[in-house]
Amino acid sequence: DTGVSQNPRHKITKRGQNVTFRCDPISEHNRLYWYRQTLGQGPEFLTYFQNEAQLEKSRLLSDRFSAERPKGSFSTLEIQRTEQGDSAMYLCASSLIGYEQFFGPGTRLTVL
Amino acid sequence: AQKVTQAQTEISVVEKEDVTLDCVYETRDTTYYLFWYKQPPSGELVFLIRRNSFDEQNEISGRYSWNFQKSTSSFNFTITASQVVDSAVYFCALSEANNNDMRFGAGTRLTVKP
């Protein structure tokens, strides 16, 4: 399978816990994006990387959120001290510079 | 600021009917890109088409066609002879040349009944 993969697919956690999600992009893609999607809405941009550099962050990305792409390959998105409002589908996408983004299956987070 | 409006929240058609999904966008940039994605019940967004602002030619791909009109800031999507497998949420999105985030509309849920 050469598509974008995300792990885990589902995560249930209690409020206040930290969670970390992983995204493995299509191997030759140098850009990697994170989005959040809530029920009945379109995906909302969170942040993106070009190789290992994080080049843009949305104001939606509060201080409790951090993303890394240490070697320019896979990326992690960590949410600290989760809140119920963080419950959503977290989507990862990758692309070549200037080309369309291909999305992974998402990680569904439920915060109890 | 960029904005995408999909005014149709839900559409229901009977198989073999043609259906058009509307998309209206706002941007101040002269160079931008428009996209359509399909999100079936499985949840994974599937890329359908990318169009740049300098290419207003309509495009046809099988039963799918797209009508890009800069004069009305619209990028509408038509499915001809719809099938049950076309049932999904369809998203229109806009990306400006100087931004790297893609702004999505709220989506249109299409249900095709047999």
Side-chain angles (χ1 to χ4, degrees):
Chain A
D1 187 6
T2 57
V4 178
S5 61
Q6 293 186 245
N7 287 288
R9 296 291 308 277
H10 303 275
K11 179 71 177 179
I12 299 174
T13 190
K14 293 182 179 179
R15 189 176 53 183
Q17 298 294 306
N18 299 343
V19 294
T20 300
F21 310 141
R22 175 176 169 131
C23 171
D24 287 89
I26 294 171
S27 58
E28 61 268 27
H29 285 182
N30 42 20
R31 283 196 173 169
L32 187 150
Y33 305 78
W34 285 99
Y35 290 82
R36 181 175 68 187
Q37 185 179 21
T38 52
L39 201 62
Q41 300 297 317
E44 296 173 295
F45 170 79
L46 294 178
T47 187
Y48 95 97
F49 293 83
Q50 183 163 307
N51 299 313
E52 67 275 9
Q54 188 174 17
L55 297 186
E56 191 171 336
K57 292 193 287 187
S58 162
R59 56 185 167 78
L60 292 175
L61 211 66
S62 77
D63 292 345
R64 297 184 296 105
F65 288 68
S66 62
E68 294 182 345
R69 194 183 184 197
K71 298 181 180 178
S73 56
F74 73 92
S75 174
T76 57
L77 177 68
E78 181 183 15
I79 308 175
Q80 296 182 326
R81 305 181 303 282
T82 52
E83 301 172 356
Q84 287 185 325
D86 297 330
S87 295
M89 177 76 86
Y90 290 85
L91 297 167
C92 176
S94 71
S95 76
L96 294 170
I97 296 174
Y99 287 85
E100 58 273 12
Q101 298 175 27
F102 292 90
F103 284 80
T107 295
R108 181 169 297 283
L109 173 66
T110 302
V111 182
L112 302 176
Chain B
Q2 58 197 81
K3 182 181 178 182
V4 176
T5 302
Q6 294 180 257
Q8 304 150 310
T9 306
E10 294 191 32
I11 299 177
S12 181
V13 299
V14 176
E15 206 169 21
K16 298 184 183 176
E17 285 184 12
D18 299 348
V19 57
T20 296
L21 310 182
D22 298 333
C23 173
V24 174
Y25 63 92
E26 293 177 30
T27 177
R28 293 176 184 166
D29 275 15
T30 55
T31 302
Y32 52 89
Y33 303 91
L34 295 163
F35 306 81
W36 277 94
Y37 282 84
K38 174 182 180 180
Q39 191 171 41
S42 61
E44 191 159 341
L45 280 159
V46 177
F47 168 77
L48 296 178
I49 190 170
R50 173 182 183 261
R51 216 68 254 238
N52 75 56
S53 53
F54 298 109
D55 183 2
E56 282 193 78
Q57 277 197 335
N58 292 332
E59 179 147 343
I60 298 174
S61 175
R63 295 184 298 107
Y64 295 171
S65 62
W66 291 269
N67 184 347
F68 177 27
Q69 291 196 346
K70 288 177 77 169
S71 60
T72 55
S73 297
S74 64
F75 186 45
N76 296 338
F77 172 32
T78 298
I79 302 175
T80 303
S82 59
Q83 300 176 1
V84 173
V85 292
D86 296 327
S87 297
V89 181
Y90 291 86
F91 291 98
C92 180
L94 165 71
S95 177
E96 295 171 338
N98 295 323
N99 289 332
N100 292 287
D101 60 293
M102 198 157 48
R103 187 66 54 89
F104 284 81
T108 297
R109 180 177 297 279
L110 173 66
T111 302
V112 181
K113 298 178 181 177

